[in-house]
């Protein structure tokens, strides 16, 4: 866990969440699924003017309405209360009533017209239903998703997004107070209109419609929700991109970085990639991205600066031999560099080490790492001034202005696979893993034989997972891309992806037993753009070598 003393921003307690419920009313059409949406009042305190699904806060009376609610045996008590709240809100806001008579007959338009939809009605929604002998059709309401409002917002809700089929014979009518302009719309059309600026929606609505668009029929949606668990749960995080706030779900590329820099949800961190200035991630960690963006490097190679003015600095991966980048690294550290560590010998990671060392005239920092193996390509040669041992600790220490001792300890972990001389570093006091190219954000690394080895790569993933478990490591700082959160989950997903790809390669080899790697590549990487196949061919070769090795050992 990151030390509170190293956080950039003072801790701030997010606004407490309120329990609420929302329901997506669905119907089939010739063009596909349609969902009922309505526009919120421009004076609403939450999401004014936005197109939304009907819903609102859960009331105490919703719990009491369980006595007239039909339910599935697998529905929990909480789900039942949420369904009741959603049914009530759909009735109050749009005049749609998910209910039936005790004899099973659906409610009629006359039944609905006879009821008072006003929230100030002297007779409660429950009482009106009881008077008419109505049973709430909670057994027809399913949980689609679970959203928790972003931590930076002043009004927050903990809300399930429920789904139900629109009752036949009912016509939605807005209350013209909180909701206006009810409309049926295909998810794809709503998203297109939102992108064009004519159909404003908030982030959870957009993301929900993006996923709903994958379904062709209402039955398919309801079947997907039959397990009684949300298909996803999210509490989004926000950062600044292009001067505007941008929001992200768990699993999306910037989410982990926002969790590291602004754990309490403050909307303060800028996500724009730039190479002119070091980006503070913590008080003791900065990232300076080299200006070498490309297909293989993403936004560029990340050089990390660990330490502070009291301890001096350690630079991880000084990057390519780019004079501007090296000069910026030197200035960001005020020239007080105590050590330079290269995670491996590739040309976008290690060539900057010697020029950066040369700039440090007062005291030459040692260049540390693992020298390249004989299997390395000629363009990826590196000689460490001192070889780091597996498990060796590098310590920065000093005393701050308040005479408090500060220590930053980096532990080396040998992780061959991407390259024979690859290593990672753990910042022990703050639970951070600097992963070099072994783990990337947004793509998988290339394993290029003979210097790359797939068996070694997968073993190193297991080694890193064990280190994360033992050290309570939550964040991975890769050499390319944003910080990755949920470190162990990310490692698990990466290993699963590798093994899934290997299974596709093995299937291609079985289908074309006399084939060559060139024959197997289109079958095994049919989900990868063809322009990336020359790169994928390297990892395919590593997988083929592993498959054959495993077969020969059986």
């Amino acid at each position: 866990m990151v030390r509170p003393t190293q956080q950039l921003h003072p801790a701030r307690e997010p606004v407490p969440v309120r329990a609420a419920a929302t329901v997506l009313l669905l119907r089939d059409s010739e063009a596909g699924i349609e969902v009922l949406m309505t526009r919120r009042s421009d004076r609403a305190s939450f999401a004014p003017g936005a197109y939304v699904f009907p819903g609102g806060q859960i009331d105490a009376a919703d719990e009491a309405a369980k006595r007239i609610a039909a339910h599935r045996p697998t529905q929990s008590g909480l789900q039942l209360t949420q369904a009741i709240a959603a049914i009530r809100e759909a009735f109050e806001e749009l005049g749609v009533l998910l209910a039936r008579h005790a004899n099973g007959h659906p409610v009629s338009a006359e039944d609905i017209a006879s009821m008072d939809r006003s929230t100030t009605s002297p007779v409660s929604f429950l009482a009106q239903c009881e008077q008419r002998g109505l049973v709430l059709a909670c057994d027809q309401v399913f949980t689609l998703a679970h959203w928790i409002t972003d931590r930076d917002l002043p009004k927050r809700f903990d809300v399930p997004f429920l789904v139900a089929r629109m009752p036949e014979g009912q016509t939605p009518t807005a209350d013209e107070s909180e909701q206006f302009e009810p409309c049926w719309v295909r998810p794809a059309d709503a998203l297109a209109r939102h992108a064009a600026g004519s159909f404003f929606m908030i982030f959870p609505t957009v993301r929900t419609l993006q996923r709903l668009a994958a379904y062709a029929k209402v039955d398919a949606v309801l079947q997907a929700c039959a397990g009684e668990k949300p298909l996803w749960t999210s509490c989004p995080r926000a950062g600044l991109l292009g001067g505007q706030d941008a929001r992200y779900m768990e699993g999306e590329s910037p989410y982990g970085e926002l969790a590291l820099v602004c754990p309490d949800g403050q909307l303060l961190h800028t996500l724009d990639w730039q190479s002119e200035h070091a980006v503070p991630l913590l008080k003791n960690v900065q990232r300076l991205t080299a200006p070498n963006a490309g297909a293989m490097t993403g936004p560029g190679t990340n050089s990390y600066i660990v330490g502070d003015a009291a301890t001096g600095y350690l630079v991880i991966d000084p990057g390519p031999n780019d004079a501007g980048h090296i000069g910026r690294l030197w200035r960001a550290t005020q020239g007080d560099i105590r050590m330079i560590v290269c995670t491996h010998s590739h040309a976008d990671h290690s060539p900057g080490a010697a020029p950066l060392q040369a700039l440090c005239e007062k005291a030459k920092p040692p260049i540390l790492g693992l020298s390249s193996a004989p299997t390395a390509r000629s363009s990826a040669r590196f000689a460490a001034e001192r070889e780091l041992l597996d498990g060796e600790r590098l310590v920065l220490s000093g005393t701050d202005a308040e005479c408090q001792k500060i220590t930053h300890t980096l532990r080396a972990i040998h992780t061959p696979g991407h390259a024979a001389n690859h290593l990672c570093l753990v910042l022990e006091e703050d639970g951070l893993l600097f992963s070099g190219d072994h783990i990337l954000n947004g793509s998988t690394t290339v394993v290029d034989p003979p210097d790359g080895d797939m068996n070694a790569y997968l073993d190193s993933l297991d080694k890193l997972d064990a280190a994360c478990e033992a050290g309570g490591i939550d964040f991975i700082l890769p050499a390319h891309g944003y910080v990755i959160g949920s470190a162990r989950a990310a490692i698990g997903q990466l290993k699963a992806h590798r093994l899934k790809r290997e299974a596709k390669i093995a299937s291609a080899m079985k289908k074309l037993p006399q084939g060559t790697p060139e024959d197997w590549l289109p079958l095994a990487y049919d989900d990868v753009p063809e322009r990336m196949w020359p790169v994928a061919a390297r990892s395919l070769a590593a997988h083929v070598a592993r498959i054959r090795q495993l077969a020969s050992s059986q």
Side-chain angles (χ1 to χ4, degrees), residues 25 57 149 161 173 206 296 358 377 395 432 473 487:
L25 295 168
Q57 290 190 61
T149 306
F161 276 40
T173 305
V206 172
M296 295 297 294
R377 294 176 182 268
V395 180
L432 305 180
I473 295 170

Side-chain angles (χ1 to χ4, degrees), residues 319-368:
N321 189 358
D322 180 283
H325 180 66
I326 293 164
R328 287 186 283 271
L329 280 172
W330 185 82
R331 288 189 292 275
T333 60
Q334 297 85 49
D336 187 12
I337 300 175
R338 307 294 174 89
M339 290 170 271
I340 300 171
V341 180
C342 296
T343 61
H344 61 296
S345 54
H346 288 168
D348 59 325
H349 290 260
S350 64
L356 180 60
Q357 182 192 57
L359 286 180
C360 302
E361 297 178 351
K362 293 182 180 179
K364 298 293 184 184
I367 298 173
L368 310 175

